[in-house]
Amino acid sequence: MNFPLTLTVADRESMDSELDAAVTAAKAHALAGRRHGILVTRLGVDKFTVDLSEAVPFGFTREHQAW
């Protein structure tokens, strides 16, 4: 899986499930390298990115709004 992952969601229920799945995948990659945290960025009402970030300490997940 390549990061960042970009998600476009249809509704609240799919937003929760898709973000949970993307963060779970990011955690698996972060654990392998033990250098990155996870950054979830909301780009709009229905669009998000989930990325590994050296700016976020390992073991942490941060949320950011960019809209």
Side-chain angles (χ1 to χ4, degrees):
M1 189 168 294
N2 295 322
F3 290 90
L5 299 175
T6 301
L7 309 170
T8 302
V9 299
D11 54 36
R12 177 66 191 213
E13 183 178 311
S14 65
M15 178 181 75
D16 290 340
S17 64
E18 289 183 43
L19 282 171
D20 285 346
V23 168
T24 298
K27 283 181 182 178
H29 281 271
L31 282 171
R34 304 187 67 85
R35 293 186 336 211
H36 301 95
I38 300 164
L39 180 62
V40 179
T41 302
R42 187 172 198 158
L43 302 170
V45 174
D46 63 348
K47 194 167 188 174
F48 299 82
T49 60
V50 176
D51 201 2
L52 302 177
S53 174
E54 290 183 356
V56 179
F58 172 72
F60 287 86
T61 300
R62 288 204 180 131
E63 297 177 7
H64 175 71
Q65 295 219 23
W67 65 297

